Amino acid sequence: MNEVVVTRFPPSPTGYLHIGGARTALFNWLYAKHLGGKFILRIEDTDQARSTEESVRAILDAMEWLDLGWDEGPFFQTQRFDTYREYLRKLLESGHAYYCECSAEELDERRRAAMAAGLKPKYDGRCRDRGLGPGPDRVVRFRCPEIGSTMLNDMVKGPISFENAELDDLVLERSDGVPTYNFAVVVDDITMNITHVIRGDDHVNNTPRQILLYEALGATLPHFAHVPMILGQDRARMSKRHGATSVMAYKEMGYLPEALVNYLVRLGWSHGDQEIFSRQELIQHFSLEHVGKAPSIFNPDKLDWLNAHYIKERSPESLVPPLETFLSQKGLPPRLPDYLAKAVKTLQPRSRTLKEMAESMEFYLVDEPPMDPNAARKFLVPAIRDPLERLIRAIDELEDFDEKRLEAIFHQLVEELGIKLGKIAQPVRVALTGSTVSPGLFEVIDVLGKETALRRLRKALEWMNGQ
């Protein structure tokens, strides 16, 4: 019988969900979905001094925004202390763990002495065979093998060997009774039946210790896959100077979740030359065999390109709810969803983010758009007064108001006057939008509606008459 694949994502709630963490979550989610398995969410909150409810909520919000639903959880490590104590007792009873009473000051002094002697500054095993029992200020340590090596058969990096003599007798439980990271992770993964541990390669050095703990507990090893880090364009580890590192910051900048998911999955994974994937295609094609070994470079321009693609592909109606947040932030007046959807449709081909779209939409929503004085001086000139008056009359007489009829009016007018369309189109654009840049002119007039378009054209005529 084939094993059921179970993956997990275990963030620490000490801050927001980082871009690198989101990619790890995505790889775990996709691997489980691809193989019909389960994806578990676990909150590793044993660092109680730094863990906050606010961070838990921020992580859950980011997971939900990315649509990375979990099959079980979220489980919290702080609610599992009884389970850790049970496994700690097993290690103590089997002789794989022991109590240590060395103080922090003593340990620091011995580390300094070891370094001065050119030795590795690891725990020297002082309490290994003293047979100590529990007591104040005592920790529990793992009795690491002193000879031999530990092998990691990594699904991404291949085989890696670690000399046991280089490893430490790591602390399993601190003197306050709180389990340490490496111990809690192993117990969690055993009890949650995790079959595949997919994580960043900054965890590689933790893995031999964890493998030894699995073996000491007589548990089946999961498959390990360590994926390369995400780097900035200067090849330094991704940080705020390379761009936003928080997932939700991208939501706040106007990116769509499907664009960010598509972008993150391509940071380190490929399927031929394909760049754009639907959610179903990602599930269908994802495999660890095609995760690269080299670090991935975060390229904001590529993300902008993908986001622009997804904005174009979305229905205008579906973009209205997330766009309204940005319109509200700009202090723009609310409009009915149908009107907004019509305006969105004209801006989709030219918007890289929703924030950019909201900024471009101002002229659709205000009573009077701010006028670019340079554009007004250049295009709202006396020579355009007669064509503008004729256009106002023609639009005013229109009974059926749509793009096709508007276009016909413009073409008839330029034919009568013997001028090029641009000669009248650009002044009209400035009159209607306050700018020389906008969506197609006939689309703009159609969205604004007859009454608003005429009011703005007459206002421009007044401005010209006052010059």
Side-chain angles (χ1 to χ4, degrees):
M1 183 174 150
N2 292 332
E3 68 176 351
V4 175
V5 167
V6 184
T7 65
R8 85 305 197 260
F9 176 56
S12 297
T14 55
Y16 51 74
L17 181 58
H18 189 278
I19 281 290
R23 187 191 63 169
T24 299
L26 177 60
F27 280 10
N28 277 280
W29 187 89
L30 285 171
Y31 192 74
K33 295 300 172 192
H34 175 73
L35 294 170
K38 285 194 301 188
F39 172 64
I40 290 175
L41 179 62
R42 184 170 76 222
I43 305 296
E44 297 190 341
D45 58 346
T46 54
D47 185 350
Q48 293 174 59
R50 295 173 60 222
S51 298
T52 65
E53 280 294 323
E54 184 184 10
S55 292
V56 171
R57 188 67 260 164
I59 289 166
L60 298 182
D61 286 348
M63 294 285 286
E64 287 166 2
W65 182 64
L66 294 173
D67 196 19
L68 299 180
W70 48 93
D71 300 300
E72 291 181 14
F75 298 107
F76 292 82
Q77 287 186 327
T78 49
Q79 297 170 9
R80 294 172 50 77
F81 279 20
D82 288 346
T83 304
Y84 304 137
R85 290 191 190 103
E86 178 192 334
Y87 277 79
L88 191 69
R89 190 181 70 251
K90 290 180 183 179
L91 291 172
L92 286 163
E93 288 173 353
S94 65
H96 287 100
Y98 61 92
Y99 283 95
C100 169
E101 65 177 3
C102 298
S103 69
E105 293 76 22
E106 289 171 333
L107 293 170
D108 284 343
E109 189 179 322
R110 279 183 242 151
R111 284 193 194 100
R112 282 195 294 270
M115 289 173 74
L119 302 172
K120 190 177 177 72
K122 67 173 193 169
Y123 179 64
D124 61 4
R126 184 74 55 95
C127 294
R128 247 181 175 241
D129 300 310
R130 292 179 62 195
L132 297 173
D137 299 323
R138 290 181 181 177
V139 302
V140 178
R141 288 185 181 272
F142 180 64
R143 191 185 300 273
C144 182
E146 294 179 286
I147 58 171
S149 59
T150 298
M151 281 296 299
L152 163 61
N153 290 309
D154 195 274
M155 295 180 73
V156 172
K157 293 181 170 295
I160 308 172
S161 178
F162 302 86
E163 293 302 313
N164 292 338
E166 295 292 307
L167 304 177
D168 218 336
D169 280 6
L170 77 152
V171 173
L172 302 178
E173 184 183 77
R174 300 185 186 94
S175 57
D176 60 2
V178 175
T180 57
Y181 167 78
N182 280 300
F183 177 56
V185 162
V186 168
V187 172
D188 286 340
D189 287 347
I190 291 171
T191 54
M192 294 176 188
N193 301 310
I194 302 301
T195 62
H196 292 74
V197 173
I198 305 167
R199 57 191 180 188
D201 63 8
D202 52 335
H203 285 282
V204 166
N205 289 334
N206 289 322
T207 310
R209 296 176 171 86
Q210 293 175 9
I211 289 173
L212 289 169
L213 280 168
Y214 274 97
E215 291 172 349
L217 288 164
T220 303
L221 280 178
H223 303 280
F224 289 97
H226 290 90
V227 299
M229 304 300 286
I230 299 174
L231 306 179
Q233 289 184 289
D234 58 0
R235 303 194 73 80
R237 187 166 178 169
M238 180 79 177
S239 67
K240 287 181 180 177
R241 64 195 170 90
H242 300 113
T245 55
S246 159
V247 166
M248 294 307 268
Y250 286 89
K251 179 183 181 184
E252 290 159 11
M253 290 189 290
Y255 291 89
L256 298 176
E258 56 267 40
L260 190 57
V261 163
N262 194 149
Y263 182 70
L264 287 177
V265 81
R266 287 288 290 111
L267 282 176
W269 173 83
S270 62
H271 178 70
D273 295 327
Q274 190 170 342
E275 290 287 352
I276 294 167
F277 296 85
S278 68
R279 182 66 62 114
Q280 203 49 48
E281 284 175 323
L282 288 176
I283 292 170
Q284 179 185 342
H285 297 307
F286 186 81
S287 71
L288 292 172
E289 287 79 11
H290 292 103
V291 172
K293 295 182 181 182
S296 303
I297 307 299
F298 191 91
N299 182 348
D301 293 338
K302 183 75 171 288
L303 176 57
D304 283 350
W305 173 79
L306 267 174
N307 203 56
H309 165 80
Y310 280 101
I311 284 176
K312 285 190 197 85
E313 292 296 303
R314 277 269 205 118
S315 71
E317 293 75 17
S318 73
L319 290 173
V320 168
L323 180 68
E324 285 178 316
T325 300
F326 295 96
L327 297 175
S328 175
Q329 286 171 358
K330 282 185 64 64
L332 294 170
R335 289 295 191 103
L336 291 172
D338 286 352
Y339 179 82
L340 290 176
K342 205 171 178 184
V344 163
K345 187 177 181 182
T346 70
L347 294 166
Q348 280 176 280
R350 55 199 308 126
S351 300
R352 292 175 301 173
T353 67
L354 293 180
K355 190 171 185 179
E356 194 174 273
M357 183 182 282
E359 288 163 358
S360 302
M361 193 177 275
E362 182 176 1
F363 75 87
Y364 277 131
L365 306 178
V366 295
D367 286 338
E368 195 173 317
M371 180 70 71
D372 175 351
N374 292 329
R377 279 193 294 271
K378 182 175 180 181
F379 293 104
L380 299 182
V381 293
I384 205 68
R385 187 178 289 118
D386 178 53
L388 199 56
E389 286 173 343
R390 290 186 184 214
L391 180 65
I392 289 169
R393 283 196 299 273
I395 291 176
D396 200 16
E397 289 167 7
L398 262 185
E399 289 187 12
D400 296 316
F401 191 82
D402 58 37
E403 280 184 55
K404 194 175 177 181
R405 287 180 175 82
L406 286 166
E407 191 172 355
I409 282 175
F410 271 83
H411 285 300
Q412 185 180 341
L413 181 62
V414 297
E415 198 175 315
E416 286 174 6
L417 295 170
I419 59 175
K420 291 184 177 177
L421 182 60
K423 197 77 175 170
I424 180 72
Q426 201 66 329
V428 170
R429 178 174 279 106
V430 171
L432 295 175
T433 70
S435 167
T436 56
V437 179
S438 79
L441 192 55
F442 310 126
E443 294 175 284
V444 167
I445 299 172
D446 184 42
V447 173
L448 287 173
K450 184 174 177 179
E451 184 183 327
T452 300
L454 286 172
R455 186 176 70 248
R456 292 185 185 183
L457 291 171
R458 286 172 180 140
K459 187 87 177 175
L461 204 55
E462 285 174 25
W463 186 88
M464 287 160 55
N465 290 335
Q467 294 305 298

